[in-house]
Structures are given as structure tokens and as C-alpha cells.
Amino acid sequence: MKALLYDATLCIGCKQCEQACASENHLAYDDKVAAQETTSAYKYTAVVQRGEAYMRRICMHCEDPTCASVCPVGALTKTALGPVTYDGDKCMGCRYCMAACPFGVPKYEWDKLDPRVRKCSLCEKRVSAGGVTACTEACPTAATKFGDRDALLAEAHERIKAEPGKYQPVVFGEHEVGGTSVLMLSGAPFATFDMRTSFNEELPILTYRVLSRIPDFVGLGTVLLAGTWWITKRREEVAAAEEKEKTHED
Ligand code: SF4
Ligand code: SF4
Ligand code: SF4
């Protein structure tokens, strides 16, 4: 299992990771996007600054992801290497993953005619080819590192042990929501960055809560949404056919 280790104490806030991510995923990146401290359908990672301290926002690639467990059509998958991937062709746009994610990660392309859910893929293609993520490659200070989860976890604990005054005494992602494929070290408390730090419930209970908030989850809701999706697709097909016919007539 692979993982990404982000050590905020080494981060200089240069945002090269953001830029590399945008380039890797063919997303527009300019000063306006760089100034945004939140992730969006057009920005999969964001560097946040609080005083002198930095933090990255990114999908945590949970080991037991609630986004995947609530998806009725299996559009989100935890792969054996670590990334939690998304298949837009399977997605029917119900957005239950957005309600379920404990970190508020998946975002939706609200302004598109054929909207999809968007989030960091942990550069799954690069990783499955034996490479590292684009954000790791671009980081000039090694604040973002990629490798085997066990080795990175051991290294993170070593760093805390070697300089206990420098770090918060926790590797964020080691145990949170059952463990994640993104591990984080920080000098400032994680709560400084409005990060959720309390997860009293076990993950299946979290998932159950989401499901129970959605009445008749797999039944009526899914049928209606699937129906809406089918009708929308059908309309598009009809419109395309009509357009083709018109062109032939001209
Ligand atoms: S952080 Fe959210 S979107 Fe990412 S894997 Fe975990 S549940 Fe899914
Ligand atoms: S792992 Fe890839 S997709 Fe995720 S933030 Fe880094 S560059 Fe972007
Ligand atoms: S590229 Fe590295 S040092 Fe620069 S903002 Fe990103 S994590 Fe921090």
C-alpha cells in the first residue's frame, strides 16, 4: 500500500504542488485560483496558510472510504495500491459521496451540462506505473513525499521522536477514519486549519448515519435518480439525432 506523506513543517507555501496538480489534470491555474484556499471541481489540492504555518487540503484516500461505500453504482473504488479512484462513466450524479465524505472532499461540476464529481485521484495512473504523484515530483522541499505507507509512517514517527518540540504528537491519517493513504505531520494543531480531528464513531457507523439520512436509499431514491439520469441522457441523444437530421436536410 502506497501513501503520500505531507510534512507541513517543511512546507514553504510555494504552491508548486497546486500548479503541478492543475497541469497533470488539465485544469486552469492562474493567480485567482492560486489565491483560493479551498478545493473545488477545478482545484484538487489547496495550500492553506495560518500565520507562518501551512497545510494542504487533499483527498485523504481513506483505507475504508465512506464515499465508496455509499456509492450505489460503484463509481468510487479503493485500489490495492492506495488511491481512491472515480469512474465518471459509472457515476449517475446522486452525489451521496459528497454527503458521506468525513473530510468534505468530493466536489461537483455544477456549471457543466454533463457534470461529474471531482477530487484528487492520488495520480492513480502515475502510481500504478510505478511513479510518484505530480505534486510530490514538484515539491522543492520534500514537504510532500510519496512511497510505501508502512515506511512513511515509520519515518513520520521517527521525525516526531527526533524533534518532539517541533511536531504535534500525532501522524494525522494513521488512525483517523480507520487510516488513510495520506499522512500528515504538523507543527501547529490540525484544528488551526479547520481540519476535523475528532472521529469518535467507527466508520461503518458513519456510513450508516449517511444512509439513514437518505430515506429508502437503495430503493426509491436510486430509482428516481437513475430515471432522471436516463431521461437526461435520452434527451441529449434525441437532441443530437435531431441536429444530425437537420444537418443532412440542409
Ligand atoms: S477523504 Fe472523502 S473522498 Fe477521499 S477517500 Fe476519504 S471519504 Fe473518499
Ligand atoms: S496526488 Fe495528483 S491529483 Fe492528487 S493533489 Fe497530487 S497531483 Fe493532484
Ligand atoms: S510544493 Fe511543497 S513546499 Fe511548495 S506549497 Fe506544496 S507542499 Fe509546500
Side-chain angles (χ1 to χ4, degrees):
M1 177 78 69
K2 300 287 183 184
L4 184 150
L5 171 64
Y6 169 70
D7 184 337
T9 70
L10 299 175
C11 181
I12 54 172
C14 66
K15 304 198 180 192
Q16 295 290 316
C17 48
E18 288 187 1
Q19 196 152 13
C21 178
S23 161
E24 179 74 15
N25 293 292
H26 313 291
L27 303 168
Y29 192 80
D30 55 19
D31 289 349
K32 209 173 139 201
V33 177
Q36 293 162 5
E37 286 204 330
T38 50
T39 56
S40 68
Y42 309 99
K43 184 170 182 172
Y44 304 162
T45 184
V47 178
V48 181
Q49 181 171 11
R50 298 283 181 270
E52 299 287 297
Y54 298 101
M55 180 55 61
R56 282 187 67 186
R57 297 202 196 291
I58 183 175
C59 170
M60 298 298 289
H61 297 276
C62 309
E63 301 209 343
D64 191 3
T66 45
C67 61
S69 63
V70 301
C71 180
V73 291
L76 291 140
T77 313
K78 175 75 175 175
T79 61
L81 273 178
V84 174
T85 58
Y86 166 76
D87 182 346
D89 290 337
K90 286 188 184 166
C91 177
M92 63 174 194
C94 68
R95 304 185 297 279
Y96 293 156
C97 54
M98 293 168 68
C101 173
F103 300 103
V105 168
K107 298 290 189 309
Y108 200 57
E109 293 173 324
W110 294 102
D111 56 346
K112 288 209 173 165
L113 283 174
D114 188 12
R116 292 177 180 209
V117 170
R118 286 290 176 234
K119 70 169 198 73
C120 156
S121 64
L122 204 63
C123 287
E124 196 259 343
K125 280 196 185 125
R126 281 170 162 259
V127 168
S128 49
V132 302
T133 68
C135 54
T136 303
E137 201 170 84
C139 182
T141 64
T144 296
K145 218 178 153 180
F146 192 80
D148 288 320
R149 188 176 188 273
D150 288 347
L152 288 177
L153 192 54
E155 185 179 329
H157 279 292
E158 281 300 315
R159 290 190 199 181
I160 295 173
K161 205 170 142 196
E163 295 181 89
K166 183 176 163 185
Y167 290 104
Q168 293 295 307
V170 61
V171 182
F172 191 85
E174 178 176 9
H175 301 299
E176 283 72 17
V177 297
T180 63
S181 284
V182 171
L183 305 167
M184 291 176 163
L185 289 173
S186 176
F190 287 95
T192 310
F193 306 98
D194 308 316
M195 284 169 76
R196 187 172 170 189
T197 51
S198 154
F199 301 93
N200 297 327
E201 298 155 300
E202 291 301 313
L203 210 64
I205 298 170
L206 263 175
T207 308
Y208 171 75
R209 285 259 170 96
V210 172
L211 297 183
S212 63
R213 277 209 303 268
I214 302 166
D216 298 329
F217 176 70
V218 182
L220 185 64
T222 306
V223 170
L224 285 176
L225 282 159
T228 310
W229 175 84
W230 187 84
I231 289 164
T232 311
K233 285 270 171 209
R234 185 72 194 124
R235 272 196 194 134
E236 282 166 10
E237 281 166 17
V238 170
E242 279 175 356
E243 187 58 35
K244 214 169 155 193
E245 233 169 69
K246 231 165 77 190
T247 321
H248 280 278
E249 281 166 11
D250 290 345

